[in-house]
Amino acid sequence: MLAQIVTSALAFNGMRPAAPVRSAVNMAAKKAVAVSSGFEDALGAQAPLGLFDPLGLLTDADEAKFDRLRFVELKHGRICMLAVLGHIVTTAGIRLPGNIDYSGHTFASIPSGLAALSAMPKNGFWQMVLFVGLLECGVMRDLTGDAEFVGDFRNNYIDFGWDTFSEEEKLSKRAIELNNGRAAQMGILALMVHEKLNGDAYVINTLLGSPVAY
């Protein structure tokens, strides 16, 4: 952990880390990859880290456990991609028209980010929970048993031309979704952390001289 912190700090300062630090980081990364064997060629195991499993979750894992972990990773990634997009859209001032409840509270009065949870009416919050539950139980799952891969929720209904793609194109698009989901998980975490730290979720914009009204 200390080696990672030192290396990150030196990277921001434009300095080269000392050889022992660099070696320690490389050894830690190699160890994390080496611990998890059997899935080195799985989708998402790509350069520069390959199969990165620092917690050893895949040690002696079978295909069923891997599929379960991949399913959870995909679901979290998809949720976080929606969360990041929603954060950006609402921060840009785009809201639904009209009121959110019968008391006269408008959609435009609800702030972005975590602050929205405490600002929205409680009934509105539970409506969202119910809607997500309905999606979870009746939509976002393999209802037909015809899924081509873990996370395939088309259910012979939504296609968007998927069956016209070659196998290489399908793998490429699945890898893109997986990596975008991973990035979104880090992105929404950063937005929430910075919102709580100093009230500036888009701190990088501020550092670059283009602050975002938040």
Side-chain angles (χ1 to χ4, degrees), residues 66-187:
F66 178 84
D67 287 345
R68 172 59 184 167
L69 292 173
R70 174 51 52 85
F71 177 81
V72 173
E73 180 183 21
L74 279 170
K75 179 179 288 188
H76 286 177
R78 289 168 178 174
I79 293 171
C80 289
M81 283 189 280
L82 289 172
V84 170
L85 179 61
H87 204 295
I88 293 173
V89 168
T90 53
T91 300
I94 300 174
R95 298 288 199 283
L96 292 173
N99 298 332
I100 195 172
D101 61 13
Y102 292 115
S103 300
H105 297 98
T106 63
F107 285 100
S109 67
I110 305 299
S112 301
L114 293 174
L117 295 178
S118 58
M120 77 171 59
K122 286 185 172 54
N123 288 339
F125 173 80
W126 289 113
Q127 285 176 24
M128 290 196 305
V129 172
L130 177 61
F131 178 66
V132 171
L134 291 175
L135 290 178
E136 182 75 11
C137 295
V139 180
M140 305 306 294
R141 57 187 304 182
D142 179 19
L143 298 173
T144 63
D146 297 329
E148 292 183 12
F149 50 86
V150 175
D152 179 8
F153 299 151
R154 290 176 296 152
N155 293 313
N156 297 323
Y157 178 69
I158 301 175
D159 186 81
F160 297 119
W162 178 260
D163 290 331
T164 65
F165 299 145
S166 67
E167 292 303 316
E168 291 76 13
E169 289 175 319
K170 290 180 178 179
L171 283 175
S172 174
K173 292 185 180 298
R174 288 174 58 197
I176 290 171
E177 180 194 28
L178 191 61
N179 285 323
N180 284 350
R182 290 168 174 173
Q185 290 177 67
M186 297 297 101

